Amino acid sequence: MVDILIIGGGFGGVRTALDLDKKLSSKEATITLIDRNNYHLFLPSLYEIASSFGLDLKKDEVRLKKTIAIPFGEIFEDTKVNFVQAEIVSVDLNKKEVWSKGEKSFRYDYLVLALGAETETFGTVGVLEYAYKFKSVEEAVFLNKKINEKYKEAERGERPLPVRFIIVGAGFNGIELAGELACCTKKIAEVCKLKNKCTEIKLIEAAPQILPVVYDKERVIIRERLEKLGVEVLENSPIEQVGPDFVQIKDGPRLNADFIIWTAGIRASSFLKNISGLKLDERGKMTVNEFMQSIDRPEVFGIGDNTILLDPSTSKPMPALAYVAVDQGKVAAENILRALKNKQPEKYRPFYGVWIAPVGGKFAVAHLGRNLTVSGFWGWILRGLVDFRYMWSILPLSKAMSLTAEDVSVFTKND
Ligand SMILES: Cc1cc2nc3c(=O)[nH]c(=O)nc-3n(C[C@H](O)[C@H](O)[C@H](O)COP(=O)(O)OP(=O)(O)OC[C@H]3O[C@@H](n4cnc5c(N)ncnc54)[C@H](O)[C@@H]3O)c2cc1C
């Protein structure tokens, strides 16, 4: 009997656990997944939580959170996977032991590190103190409450309009949030019977243009959509300081705002640095080979956002994407199985490049291939189908369907 331990129940960790569960019997292995939370977080819809409208958060906070925070109990029901809620604080690679905050130890024969990423500030002064971070469901709900409070203050005449938002980072996360916030704040202003210009949203990007990885024609569609929603895009505008109510653009103006939301970057979980003997690159990501194993520890696997792996066809690092983590999780599971059967490991074959970006309301841009872009309502439908497909891959069909129905009902209230 071998002990397989997976730390992190994100996209990669959950896939590894479920695949191992299918492939191994309870006589062959114990499969344990540890996460600090008791739910799997569907990060791609986090922007919907920050910008949700029409729920009374005093009563419906749990309902809102459950749209994207899926209890591990539901995912691993009827499987052999043991879920443990704990924060892991140390790993001893020589003793093959892992310790949680409560001083509990877990031993392993195979370890999968799937700890994800955390917010990267690039050393910008004031981000940690003053900006709203955008990485957890609590942060998104908190932001939502604060936004509602601001408009209520305006309704009571206690503050001037417009309410000003600055979103830092015009990658997919920033764009999705800006688009949906424009829809949400319009609805709130209507309910609060506010007239005139109620909202100002600036989306700020340090690079010469938004979304450098996408084709020009898709960037044009996204930009036009943002403009239509009233979002102002500022490119070539690196931020050198964030204050309580302003951002200072390098060699540029100081812009005031009520909300400064940081979506500018991620870095690998800093916890990895505490693991003595684990090979990391200069940015603190775990170095893995094409079999998703740590370079000199074949019994330790790394998957998803906490790893660095170069795509051999481009020599560029794999992007931090949910489906990349899922694919790597599948390979890690397969290779643990192969190791148990003394078989040659399988190579991870990079696949990425398709994407779907929702840009406010029932509108999304889907890049499905070099010459295939679907945008508008049908892009939004496609995104819904992809999200549903994912839910169904981790939940029984009936639960995936009811969760998707609930998500559509909650998320479209602001469209
Ligand atoms: C706002 C946002 C929107 C995104 N939108 C998209 C999108 O539309 N499409 C897409 O493909 N990708 C998207 N991504 C990227 C995608 O979510 C990540 O690439 C993906 O989550 C990576 O999966 P992972 O398994 O590596 O880590 P994660 O999914 O981040 O999971 C890591 C898990 O590890 C746990 N953990 C961390 N440290 C510890 C510890 N010490 N002890 C115990 N548990 C721990 C965490 O609680 C978490 O559950 C988005 C990311 C963000 C932040």
Side-chain angles (χ1 to χ4, degrees), residues 327-338:
D327 286 350
Q328 294 182 346
K330 288 180 188 167
V331 173
E334 175 63 24
N335 285 340
I336 291 174
L337 187 78
R338 288 186 182 211

Side-chain angles (χ1 to χ4, degrees), residues 8 10-12 35-37 43-44 86 88 114-116 173 304-305 320-322 325:
F11 285 88
D35 199 290
R36 57 158 79 104
N37 298 316
L43 281 164
I88 295 304
L115 297 146
N173 298 347
D305 287 3
L321 289 170

Side-chain angles (χ1 to χ4, degrees), residues 7-14 34-37 39-47 72 86-89 113-117 134-136 172-173 176 263 266 269 271 303-307 319-326 328 354 356-358 383 387:
I7 312 180
F11 285 88
V14 163
I34 305 179
D35 199 290
R36 57 158 79 104
N37 298 316
Y39 53 78
H40 167 68
L41 189 58
F42 189 72
L43 281 164
S45 292
L46 195 65
Y47 70 96
F72 286 116
E87 166 117 27
I88 295 304
V89 288
L113 295 171
L115 297 146
F134 194 61
K135 195 75 186 57
S136 71
F172 286 113
N173 298 347
E176 290 167 9
T263 67
I266 53 162
S269 162
F271 171 72
I303 54 177
D305 287 3
N306 67 184
T307 58
L321 289 170
Y323 61 88
V324 167
V326 168
Q328 294 182 346
V354 293
I356 306 180
R383 168 65 187 245
D387 288 358

